[in-house]
Amino acid sequence: LMTHLKDRKIIKTSFLDDSFMKNLESSLRFGTPLLVEDVENIDPILNPVLNKELHKAGGRTLVRLADQDIDFSPSFVIFLATRDPNCHFTPDLCSRVTFVNFTVTPSSLQSQCLNEVLKGERPDIERKRTDLLKLQGEFKVRLRQLEESLLNAISEVHGNILDDNTIINKLAELKHEAS
């Protein structure tokens, strides 16, 4: 990454670095890439940047960091890196950024090799496998939607949950859809 972006003058820093805020402001203003290393959790100062909370003032694009507005360059890019293989991030963060896992394990290599062989030897089975994986993803999304709707219905109940007919109807609907 450092060699790839060397011509754009990438800045390397960490949250523990005393000059982190200065580096972040500089990168935001001038559009230089910023590499933040050893990220085990996200500093809340980055939330406006990750959420792309931009506003225009006098023809300038600005982002609010702490108590000041900083010019925002459209060529700004931030990379957050960690060496901790067991690092877990919140779903909120996962929805705002793109994760790239550079960890290579024997099982992941084996899986990739088997996929390539399957593509070459039996493309029909590979197509079926791909379709099943898509279907599985769609089912997971639908399951999440059903869970959220049930939780919303439960949170809206006033009084005894067993006396509320909307919850009973919702559970019957979920049971019917699950079967």
Side-chain angles (χ1 to χ4, degrees):
L1 188 61
M2 294 297 289
T3 56
H4 180 69
L5 294 172
K6 186 182 352 179
D7 59 327
R8 288 190 52 203
K9 299 185 174 117
I10 186 169
I11 298 172
K12 184 163 69 168
T13 188
S14 81
F15 290 133
L16 302 175
D17 191 358
D18 292 337
S19 61
F20 172 74
M21 279 301 293
K22 185 180 91 136
N23 289 332
L24 178 60
E25 289 174 19
S26 172
S27 291
L28 283 167
R29 276 196 181 99
F30 303 113
T32 55
L34 182 68
L35 171 63
V36 183
E37 294 185 314
D38 302 323
V39 177
E40 270 71 44
N41 49 28
I42 299 298
D43 191 329
I45 198 77
L46 284 180
N47 282 337
V49 176
L50 296 177
N51 290 337
K52 295 193 177 182
E53 296 173 4
L54 306 175
H55 58 279
K56 298 226 182 227
R60 297 170 36 201
T61 304
L62 304 169
V63 63
R64 186 136 185 101
L65 273 186
D67 58 346
Q68 59 182 340
D69 287 333
I70 307 291
D71 287 311
F72 181 82
S73 170
S75 62
F76 170 75
V77 184
I78 187 168
F79 298 95
L80 306 172
T82 183
R83 290 187 173 102
D84 182 7
N86 298 320
C87 198
H88 295 287
F89 295 103
T90 63
D92 174 50
L93 176 67
C94 295
S95 68
R96 295 183 288 165
V97 299
T98 302
F99 277 94
V100 179
N101 186 352
F102 290 104
T103 306
V104 178
T105 62
S107 63
S108 68
L109 284 175
Q110 182 182 17
S111 176
Q112 289 177 21
C113 288
L114 286 174
N115 290 340
E116 291 301 317
V117 169
L118 191 60
K119 266 190 235 178
E121 297 290 322
R122 298 288 306 269
D124 57 323
I125 293 177
E126 173 62 18
R127 243 179 279 110
K128 286 181 186 177
R129 183 183 150 285
T130 305
D131 292 344
L132 286 173
L133 288 173
K134 285 180 187 173
L135 191 61
Q136 183 182 15
E138 291 170 6
F139 284 149
K140 284 182 180 180
V141 168
R142 182 63 185 144
L143 177 63
R144 186 168 294 123
Q145 290 171 345
L146 292 172
E147 287 172 349
E148 286 178 15
S149 69
L150 179 61
L151 289 173
N152 286 338
I154 289 173
S155 69
E156 293 172 0
V157 170
H158 300 290
N160 189 352
I161 194 168
L162 297 176
D163 294 337
D164 193 335
N165 286 336
T166 58
I167 295 294
I168 304 300
N169 293 339
K170 181 63 93 173
L171 286 170
E173 176 188 329
L174 293 176
K175 180 180 175 185
H176 175 73
E177 191 164 336
S179 60

